[in-house]
């Protein structure tokens, strides 16, 4: 496989130091790669790619980057028990373009890909296994993909989802429809496997009214009330109870999402859990 080379390490002076990446508030001058210039609006910061991110120290190399010149492989399989989920958003949240391919594999702490909230383009100038512009596989706790308002475009190359056992196939299908690649769902090579994705997930959602009991509110606690789930048509042994997720916020945020800053590591998840049987 011929890999696309990442950006060359061209040093440039800025704010009294000489570095390959322009500091915050400055961007590389497109007419002279040896100079930094003040950003006119949002900074476009290009960073060398062809990188396997397998630790937070590696991930920090992409902080503040918007364009990655080369492929990005994410494999955060160890060392995540002390990493707050919000830190991943800080590191990956400004990436808009990957000029190569994008892989997320063997990252058990990932519940979703919302940390890549700004990713809007994968060029596919280099392809994983000479075929895939995006490959998401072997992520044991991945349940959701990009934020609902994400507008990702893939220029060339195929998409692969394999062995993400908590990721419902319907979410893969929804993404492929948004990408305009629904034809890939019917391909016989099983790159988008119905059988190896979501086989451990609960893939049917239902809504019900949740109310706060006003007479049971104090400075330290409150009581919630909701209608009991009708289990008459299901195997009672399959229903154990309710997981209640909650977090403290400084103000009412209409854009707050249950998917923000999530981690399968309970100590670093931004939400707290309470089980009610």
């Amino acid at each position: 496989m011929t890999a696309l080379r990442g950006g060359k390490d061209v040093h440039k002076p800025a704010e009294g130091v000489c570095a390959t990446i322009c500091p915050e508030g400055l961007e590389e001058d497109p007419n002279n790669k040896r100079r930094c210039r003040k950003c006119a609006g949002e900074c476009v910061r290009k960073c060398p790619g062809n990188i396997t991110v397998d630790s937070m120290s590696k991930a920090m190399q992409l902080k503040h980057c918007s364009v990655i010149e080369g492929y990005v492989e994410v494999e955060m399989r160890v060392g995540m028990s002390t990493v707050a989920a919000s830190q991943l958003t800080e590191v990956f949240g400004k990436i808009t373009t990957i000029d190569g391919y994008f892989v997320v594999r063997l990252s058990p702490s990932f519940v979703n890909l919302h940390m890549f909230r700004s990713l809007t383009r994968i060029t596919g100038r280099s392809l994983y296994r000479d075929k895939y512009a995006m490959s998401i596989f072997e992520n044991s706790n991945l349940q959701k993909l990009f934020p609902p308002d994400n507008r990702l475009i893939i220029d060339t190359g195929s998409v692969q989802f394999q062995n993400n056992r908590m990721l419902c196939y319907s979410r893969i299908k929804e993404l492929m429809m948004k990408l305009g690649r629904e034809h890939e769902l019917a391909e016989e090579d099983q790159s988008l496997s119905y059988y190896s994705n979501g086989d451990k997930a609960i893939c049917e959602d239902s809504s019900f009214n949740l109310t706060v009991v006003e007479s049971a509110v104090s400075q330290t606690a409150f009581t919630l009330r909701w209608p009991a789930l009708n289990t008459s048509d299901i195997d009672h042994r399959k229903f154990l109870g309710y997981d209640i997720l909650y977090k403290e916020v400084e103000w009412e945020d209409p854009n707050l999402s249950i998917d923000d800053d999530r981690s399968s590591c309970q100590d670093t998840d931004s939400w707290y859990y309470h089980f009610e049987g």
Side-chain angles (χ1 to χ4, degrees):
M1 179 179 70
T2 301
L4 173 71
R5 289 186 59 83
K8 294 182 179 180
D9 294 341
V10 178
H11 287 75
K12 35 199 151 271
E15 298 184 348
V17 298
C18 190
T20 58
I21 298 175
C22 295
E24 188 75 10
L26 300 176
E27 64 183 6
E28 185 178 272
D29 188 335
N31 299 316
N32 186 350
K33 292 184 178 293
R34 297 186 181 278
R35 292 181 55 188
C36 295
R37 69 177 187 182
K38 188 174 181 179
C39 303
E42 189 74 19
C43 285
V44 177
R45 177 174 291 190
K46 297 181 179 181
C47 300
N50 296 351
I51 182 173
T52 298
V53 180
D54 55 8
S55 65
M56 277 306 294
S57 60
K58 280 281 192 71
M60 290 298 292
Q61 297 179 26
L62 303 182
K63 189 175 182 180
H64 306 306
C65 299
S66 53
V67 177
I68 310 299
E69 297 183 309
Y71 65 75
V72 176
E73 298 183 354
V74 180
E75 185 179 324
M76 306 287 276
R77 70 168 80 190
V78 295
M80 298 300 293
S81 59
T82 59
V83 177
S86 58
Q87 290 180 259
L88 294 176
T89 302
E90 291 178 13
V91 170
F92 299 127
K94 292 186 177 181
I95 298 174
T96 62
T97 302
I98 295 176
D99 194 9
Y101 64 77
F102 178 47
V103 169
V104 180
R105 63 173 177 248
L106 298 166
S107 299
S109 68
F110 285 17
V111 175
N112 57 51
L113 300 181
H114 283 222
M115 67 283 286
F116 296 97
R117 60 189 180 188
S118 300
L119 182 61
T120 54
R121 186 185 180 199
I122 300 172
T123 67
R125 287 184 62 189
S126 61
L127 298 175
Y128 180 65
R129 295 182 177 174
D130 294 324
K131 181 174 182 178
Y132 301 111
M134 182 169 69
S135 180
I136 313 294
F137 64 93
E138 296 286 357
N139 300 288
S140 56
N141 292 297
L142 188 67
Q143 300 174 29
K144 295 184 180 180
L145 299 172
F146 302 100
D149 58 350
N150 177 266
R151 294 294 179 265
L152 178 63
I153 295 173
I154 297 177
D155 293 357
T156 188
S158 299
V159 176
Q160 180 186 45
F161 282 91
Q162 288 281 356
N163 297 327
N164 305 289
R165 305 190 70 180
M166 294 295 289
L167 179 64
C168 296
Y169 186 76
S170 60
R171 300 196 184 279
I172 298 173
K173 184 176 180 180
E174 180 183 5
L175 174 63
M176 297 303 290
M177 297 287 283
K178 289 174 67 175
L179 291 172
R181 291 169 167 262
E182 53 268 32
H183 61 278
E184 292 186 35
L185 295 167
E187 293 184 0
E188 296 181 356
D189 66 353
Q190 291 295 303
S191 293
L192 304 167
S193 175
Y194 176 83
Y195 300 100
S196 72
N197 293 291
D199 59 310
K200 286 189 173 183
I202 298 173
C203 295
E204 293 184 11
D205 297 329
S206 60
S207 300
F208 51 83
N209 293 325
L210 182 70
T211 58
V212 178
V213 181
E214 294 185 5
S215 60
V217 176
S218 69
Q219 292 183 341
T220 59
F222 58 90
T223 299
L224 300 174
R225 178 180 292 152
W226 60 86
L229 178 68
N230 183 359
T231 60
S232 58
D233 295 328
I234 65 174
D235 185 341
H236 291 246
R237 294 170 297 179
K238 293 183 178 181
F239 177 70
L240 301 178
Y242 303 88
D243 264 338
I244 301 171
L245 283 78
Y246 63 97
K247 70 188 302 183
E248 182 179 358
V249 295
E250 296 181 0
W251 60 83
E252 184 176 346
D253 183 0
N255 298 317
L256 182 66
S257 169
I258 191 67
D259 298 311
D260 293 340
D261 299 332
R262 299 303 311 278
S263 170
S264 65
C265 303
Q266 190 166 349
D267 291 340
T268 58
D269 195 357
S270 66
W271 291 79
Y272 297 99
Y273 292 84
H274 172 75
F275 178 77
E276 189 70 26

